[in-house]
Amino acid sequence: MSAGTFNYWSDHCICAIILSISIIQVTIMFKPVQQKKMYEYVIDQIYAQTQSGQLKKGDRLPPERVLTEQLGISRTSVREALRALEVLGIISTQQGEGNFINGDFAESLIRPMATLFIINGGTKKDAIDMRMNLECMSVKNAAECISLLELKELKNVLQAMKDSDDDDALLDLDATFHHIIAKATGNILLENQLQMVNYVTKVILQIDKNKLMMTPEFRMKIENSHHNLYTALEEHNPIKAEQVMKNHLNQEFHYALNSEKKTTESMTFSFD
């Protein structure tokens, strides 16, 4: 190939590459910038102040008129923001008193999160796996730092469970027992996650209403499991506490899923 021919093809190749790049650049599309609505800025400010600690649980927000003046926006935008914050559970409105930072913010999110889990096709196994992991982590950490007051609370719940003959009350007491353990870890995020997972588990158990779950034999096993958990925590023995929790939950899930196992004859869960 002569030098002239080479240069000819070289020039054409370069032009083709440049043209291709130009075409690619032309086809790149940018999405329009989304303009935030005014009330969303209000929500951002109030949420940021709750995160920084400037606004605390139980604090009262300024009246609508004051918020309108301070933020420089319309009263309509302020009202939209307050309604959205109330729906999210960040504030609560007391008639004639005003708007307050909600003390049960985490609690208000549990039901919506649990509902989303169920609507989006979350399975029993999903809930069981997550609860097993979180509960074992929780009890192991709690065994190292649980206080005498928290141990006393657990003991009171054990007595209430022993005295109760109501199925729904037993489910509530079981959740309370596990919540005290989670709270004893001092880890707020872990505590909130367990509240949500336990709520989902409770809903699933109530939906099935497995009769086997309510037999005297099952009650005795669950009562013994809770007592063993209490003993391990009282001894501040993390390894023992974790193993007892595994046994306890395996036992609970086995009975809860028993009716489903009878129909499928193949579904098994193992967490060892």
Side-chain angles (χ1 to χ4, degrees):
M1 181 184 292
S2 66
T5 303
F6 176 81
N7 290 335
Y8 172 81
W9 285 109
S10 177
D11 291 342
H12 276 69
C13 287
I14 292 171
C15 289
I17 293 170
I18 292 172
L19 181 60
S20 299
I21 293 172
S22 299
I23 293 171
I24 293 170
Q25 288 176 336
V26 169
T27 58
I28 294 174
M29 298 296 292
F30 291 94
K31 293 181 180 179
V33 175
Q34 295 292 328
Q35 184 68 35
K36 265 190 174 183
K37 294 179 180 178
M38 198 60 68
Y39 74 86
E40 292 178 322
Y41 287 105
V42 182
I43 293 173
D44 288 345
Q45 284 202 44
I46 292 175
Y47 183 75
Q49 289 192 37
T50 61
Q51 294 299 297
S52 67
Q54 289 177 283
L55 282 174
K56 298 180 177 63
K57 293 178 182 179
D59 284 353
R60 180 180 174 179
L61 292 178
E64 287 182 10
R65 177 183 56 80
V66 176
L67 285 173
T68 299
E69 293 173 357
Q70 289 182 351
L71 295 165
I73 60 174
S74 68
R75 182 167 287 194
T76 299
S77 294
V78 169
R79 286 175 178 170
E80 286 179 343
L82 293 175
R83 279 197 295 269
L85 288 166
E86 187 174 11
V87 170
L88 289 170
I90 296 174
I91 67 170
S92 58
T93 301
Q94 298 179 21
Q95 193 67 32
E97 296 292 329
N99 300 295
F100 297 83
I101 299 299
N102 201 342
D104 297 320
F105 178 40
E107 178 68 25
S108 68
L109 293 179
I110 289 170
R111 288 176 183 268
M113 288 172 66
T115 302
L116 280 174
F117 168 82
I118 294 170
I119 290 175
N120 289 330
T123 65
K124 291 179 180 181
K125 189 176 186 305
D126 292 334
I128 288 170
D129 284 344
M130 180 60 77
R131 187 178 172 194
M132 178 64 77
N133 290 327
L134 291 177
E135 290 280 15
C136 288
M137 183 193 305
S138 173
V139 77
K140 190 175 181 180
N141 292 344
E144 297 176 348
C145 58
I146 193 165
S147 68
L148 290 175
L149 178 60
E150 287 158 341
L151 284 169
K152 184 178 179 181
E153 290 176 357
L154 288 176
K155 198 167 188 178
N156 291 337
V157 174
L158 285 176
Q159 187 59 49
M161 292 178 79
K162 188 175 182 180
D163 296 338
S164 175
D165 58 359
D166 180 79
D167 295 340
D168 291 329
L170 277 174
L171 286 172
D172 290 336
L173 288 167
D174 178 72
T176 300
F177 188 89
H178 288 270
H179 181 226
I180 294 170
I181 294 174
K183 191 170 65 172
T185 67
N187 187 323
I188 298 297
L189 184 58
L190 177 58
E191 180 185 344
N192 291 340
Q193 284 183 317
L194 264 171
Q195 278 184 279
M196 191 274 287
V197 173
N198 285 341
Y199 178 77
V200 171
T201 306
K202 176 185 172 183
V203 170
I204 289 172
L205 296 183
Q206 284 182 326
I207 289 172
D208 286 345
K209 279 293 182 184
N210 186 354
K211 292 181 180 179
L212 181 60
M213 185 177 176
M214 304 306 171
T215 63
E217 178 192 10
F218 176 78
R219 286 171 177 272
M220 182 63 69
K221 286 184 176 181
I222 293 300
E223 185 179 324
N224 290 338
S225 293
H226 282 97
H227 179 75
N228 291 338
L229 277 171
Y230 174 82
T231 301
L233 289 166
E234 188 180 35
E235 294 172 354
H236 297 285
N237 189 329
I239 296 174
K240 179 180 178 180
E242 182 181 21
Q243 188 57 53
V244 172
M245 180 65 81
K246 279 184 180 179
N247 294 340
H248 165 58
L249 292 179
N250 269 323
Q251 201 172 67
E252 184 176 316
F253 297 144
H254 168 77
Y255 279 94
L257 295 169
N258 186 72
S259 59
E260 189 173 38
K261 285 181 181 181
K262 285 181 179 179
T263 58
T264 62
E265 296 184 0
S266 61
M267 186 178 291
T268 58
F269 295 92
S270 177
F271 305 95
D272 294 328

